[in-house]
Amino acid sequence: MISDKIDYPKASKLISDAGFIIYIGGFLLIIAFISPYWWESHDDASTNLEHMGLWTYCFNHTQYPYYQFEKLFDGCNTVFSEEYYVIRDRLLLGWLLVLDVFMSLAVLLSLGTLPIIVAVVTRYPQRLVLKYEYMLSALCFLAAATTTVLILFTVSLFPLYCWIRGLVMYPMYNHLSWSFYIAILSGFVHAYGAWYLFQGSKIAYEQRRKIENLVMQINVFYNQ
């Protein structure tokens, strides 16, 4: 009995491995993205800013001299809270917004890459994947590479501005914290995954060229 099942070529192992790598990188990226520990004060230092992230900053019983009323800031606030606009000259809104935009784009690209990789590996939708596999793989590579660039640019820009005195009163008593280093690790993981995707897209392109050449040879043979 002849089986009606067609044995389609499977996706390259490089693509499936890249999906696992990008998944780990995306998980690390989300942790760094939402955690408020990019920058924090030393344990033995009595400073006004306990720790901060891209979206949240936490103060410890702090009063700002430019605030017209006797008001103390204590606890954690989001970057866009009411208190933030009172001290926006100190928190350098433009600098934080640029970093937020870069990291938001990185998260979207990283998470958006995973469904495409799953489609390529599972061959669903079948017709679309088999026809444009190399293009989908190349698209995933570009997304992962762009994510890497955005992350590394963010972690390079952050230390250049976080110690500016306009941000906090005593920046020398603070240090880069674990969320910042997780972001760096995520960038390298995405770079590793991007390399796998690049190699996988090259293999998919070569396979497509071989199939096209085979089809041309068959057509020439039957047209003789």
Side-chain angles (χ1 to χ4, degrees):
M1 180 177 180
I2 300 176
S3 176
D4 295 332
K5 183 179 179 180
I6 301 177
D7 188 16
Y8 292 104
K10 295 182 179 180
S12 170
K13 189 176 184 299
L14 290 170
I15 300 296
S16 58
D17 291 345
F20 180 72
I21 295 172
I22 296 297
Y23 175 80
I24 295 176
F27 180 75
L28 295 174
L29 178 59
I30 291 177
I31 293 177
F33 183 69
I34 64 178
S35 57
Y37 287 94
W38 281 60
W39 202 49
E40 64 177 324
S41 61
H42 292 284
D43 295 335
D44 56 348
S46 178
T47 60
N48 57 341
L49 179 65
E50 287 192 340
H51 55 83
M52 68 169 289
L54 297 178
W55 304 97
T56 306
Y57 55 91
C58 297
F59 294 107
N60 181 20
H61 207 62
T62 300
Q63 181 177 349
Y64 286 90
Y66 294 124
Y67 196 75
Q68 59 180 336
F69 303 108
E70 292 296 328
K71 182 173 181 179
L72 296 176
F73 295 96
D74 202 358
C76 297
N77 299 288
T78 63
V79 169
F80 302 103
S81 64
E82 180 182 356
E83 289 84 358
Y84 173 76
Y85 291 102
V86 176
I87 57 172
R88 58 187 175 184
D89 58 329
R90 289 183 171 274
L91 289 180
L92 305 179
L93 177 59
W95 164 65
L96 287 176
L97 284 179
V98 169
L99 299 186
D100 290 342
V101 169
F102 285 160
M103 290 297 285
S104 297
L105 290 176
V107 170
L108 291 176
L109 288 173
S110 179
L111 297 181
T113 303
L114 293 176
I116 302 178
I117 294 177
V118 171
V120 172
V121 173
T122 60
R123 293 303 201 242
Y124 183 85
Q126 189 178 87
R127 185 182 298 274
L128 177 66
V129 171
L130 293 177
K131 186 176 181 180
Y132 300 107
E133 179 180 0
Y134 75 99
M135 296 180 63
L136 294 174
S137 300
L139 181 62
C140 290
F141 160 70
L142 292 176
T146 304
T147 300
T148 303
V149 172
L150 290 172
I151 295 174
L152 296 182
F153 189 80
T154 301
V155 297
S156 299
L157 187 62
F158 187 84
L160 295 179
Y161 289 91
C162 65
W163 275 288
I164 293 178
R165 190 173 178 82
L167 182 63
V168 294
M169 293 181 182
Y170 307 104
M172 70 289 296
Y173 297 123
N174 296 274
H175 63 91
L176 298 172
S177 192
W178 58 268
S179 296
F180 175 80
Y181 297 110
I182 285 182
I184 295 178
L185 178 61
S186 176
F188 283 110
V189 172
H190 277 90
Y192 191 48
W195 172 252
Y196 269 59
L197 289 169
F198 176 72
Q199 297 297 326
S201 61
K202 286 177 60 178
I203 293 176
Y205 180 73
E206 291 297 329
Q207 289 178 346
R208 181 172 178 82
R209 286 188 59 186
K210 291 180 181 179
I211 293 175
E212 290 177 347
N213 291 335
L214 180 61
V215 172
M216 290 181 61
Q217 293 176 8
I218 293 176
N219 290 335
V220 171
F221 175 80
Y222 280 103
N223 290 330
Q224 288 180 351

